[in-house]
Amino acid sequence: MAAQVIDGKEFAAEVRGRVAEHVARLKDEHGITPGLAVVLVGEDPASQVYVRSKGKQTVEAGMESFEHKLDASVSQDELLAVVQQLNADPKVHGILVQLPLPAHMNEDLVINAIAPEKDVDGFHISNVGRLGTGQKSMVPCTPLGCLMLLRAQHGSLSGMNAVVLGRSNIVGKPMAQLLLGDSCTVTIAHSRTRDLPEVVRRADIVVAAVGRPEMVPGDWIKPGATVIDVGINRIDAPEKGEGKTRLVGDVDYASAAEVAGAITPVPGGVGPMTIACLLANTLTACCRARNLPEPEGLTA
Ligand code: NDP
């Protein structure tokens, strides 16, 4: 039986709608407008696209968007000065420094200079520690988006076997923490994992975040499992014409969809959830800063 397709695009639109409603209420009832500052260093084309898209969706949700574009040659101290200025700005509730930074910068140092309560990417060491110890934190956007999709699919995740493929700080590790927080039995697999197909076959939930095109075939998937494909890989697509490419996930969609109970497509699955969760995190940060109730269903 073909798997149910989890429509991340539609779900993300719903999340953005809920954020926008809450933002409108904050304005009406308290005269507050949440603000997100995005800092871009250099001219990386992919980063420029992300930043534009983030700014556009921030404004569409009724929030203020502040963009700081710095030259690739800016010194680390100058960047840190911008971060400090944003930390102190009461109109800014969320700060995101677009990664990767140029090679002469220490990314950890820059991220840890962001005020933790404004760290809407959830990468600050204090937020990482808080997530790991089950305390209220800012949660990284992509894993938060995956969690929302899984909760919408299953309600309670308690007791389910979850396998997270990948152990990056951005996706794999926080994803595993979130699933553990929802009482899954969690396995984190990586490039040294033995018998990976067998490990994946035990999973009721598979989250694939490895960055290897179509690495997970359908015969690794337990029948009926829910598959969340985080991977975004561009591959050649000669069938579309010379020099053309297309996006695929880390899961071989065609064969996995034959076996899984539900699956996210690429594109249109996890991808759109990431910016939606960035907006949700900015709203959450604003509510926390003003001691107002947090939006329901938009945090971990
Ligand atoms: P990283 O490269 O940081 O991490 C990849 C992980 O996959 C590592 O832990 C690595 O293991 C593991 N891995 C690599 N090869 C294998 C293998 N053959 N078998 C098992 N494990 C393997 O990637 P990210 O976590 O940053 O991103 C993962 C994917 O998600 C990428 O395609 C990226 O584009 C996508 N992504 C999508 C986002 C979205 O918005 N949808 C956001 C962020 C990322 P080891 O640690 O042992 O090397």
Side-chain angles (χ1 to χ4, degrees):
M1 204 179 74
Q4 181 200 333
V5 180
I6 301 175
D7 188 341
K9 208 169 157 191
E10 189 181 303
F11 198 91
E14 196 210 303
V15 169
R16 291 198 305 272
R18 274 154 57 199
V19 169
E21 271 172 32
H22 202 102
V23 168
R25 268 205 310 280
L26 276 184
K27 273 188 201 168
D28 280 356
E29 294 170 15
H30 303 280
I32 302 169
T33 305
L36 172 65
V38 177
V39 183
L40 175 64
V41 183
E43 309 275 314
D44 179 60
S47 295
Q48 285 179 329
V49 172
Y50 289 141
V51 167
R52 252 200 312 280
S53 180
K54 283 166 185 171
K56 183 167 170 277
Q57 294 191 32
T58 303
V59 171
E60 280 169 5
M63 305 198 218
E64 276 207 85
S65 167
F66 307 96
E67 276 182 29
H68 293 260
K69 292 191 176 155
L70 307 177
D71 198 81
S73 63
V74 75
S75 73
Q76 182 169 287
D77 283 348
E78 285 169 290
L79 173 59
L80 289 173
V82 172
V83 170
Q84 293 305 348
Q85 177 208 322
L86 296 172
N87 283 346
D89 187 340
K91 291 203 296 296
V92 173
H93 303 96
I95 302 170
L96 181 150
V97 176
Q98 184 67 44
L99 302 178
L101 290 173
H104 65 280
M105 306 252 184
N106 177 336
E107 282 189 357
D108 286 342
L109 196 139
V110 172
I111 295 304
N112 289 327
I114 298 172
E117 65 278 10
K118 295 191 180 188
D119 164 42
V120 279
D121 252 345
F123 297 159
H124 189 290
I125 192 74
S126 152
N127 282 315
V128 175
R130 285 175 160 270
L131 179 61
T133 50
Q135 299 177 62
K136 201 181 254 192
S137 65
M138 296 308 303
V139 177
C141 301
T142 300
L144 178 58
C146 296
L147 184 74
M148 284 186 191
L149 293 175
L150 284 166
R151 284 178 176 169
Q153 191 66 24
H154 291 283
S156 168
L157 307 181
S158 180
M160 295 177 87
N161 279 326
V163 171
V164 179
L165 283 162
R167 55 175 163 179
S168 72
N169 291 334
I170 294 173
V171 188
K173 282 184 202 151
M175 186 72 245
Q177 294 287 5
L178 289 172
L179 291 166
L180 194 58
D182 270 27
S183 298
C184 289
T185 302
V186 183
T187 303
I188 306 176
H190 44 78
S191 66
R192 309 295 173 89
T193 299
R194 290 194 192 133
D195 293 331
L196 191 57
E198 276 314 307
V199 171
V200 177
R201 273 184 205 116
R202 289 202 298 266
D204 304 309
I205 292 170
V206 180
V207 180
V210 287
R212 306 228 176 252
E214 300 176 323
M215 190 191 93
V216 180
D219 66 0
W220 290 16
I221 306 293
K222 177 176 167 178
T226 298
V227 178
I228 303 290
D229 191 351
V230 182
I232 302 178
N233 310 288
R234 190 163 284 285
I235 61 167
D236 292 338
E239 72 281 4
K240 286 168 72 178
E242 205 189 311
K244 296 283 182 195
T245 59
R246 66 189 173 97
L247 290 182
V248 296
D250 291 340
V251 176
D252 175 36
Y253 185 85
S255 62
E258 295 282 305
V259 190
I263 185 166
T264 58
V266 177
V270 173
M273 290 299 289
T274 298
I275 298 186
C277 287
L278 174 67
L279 304 181
N281 276 352
T282 304
L283 173 60
T284 300
C286 176
C287 292
R288 286 180 186 168
R290 302 300 291 257
N291 266 327
L292 293 166
E294 289 176 25
E296 269 177 45
L298 296 177
T299 48

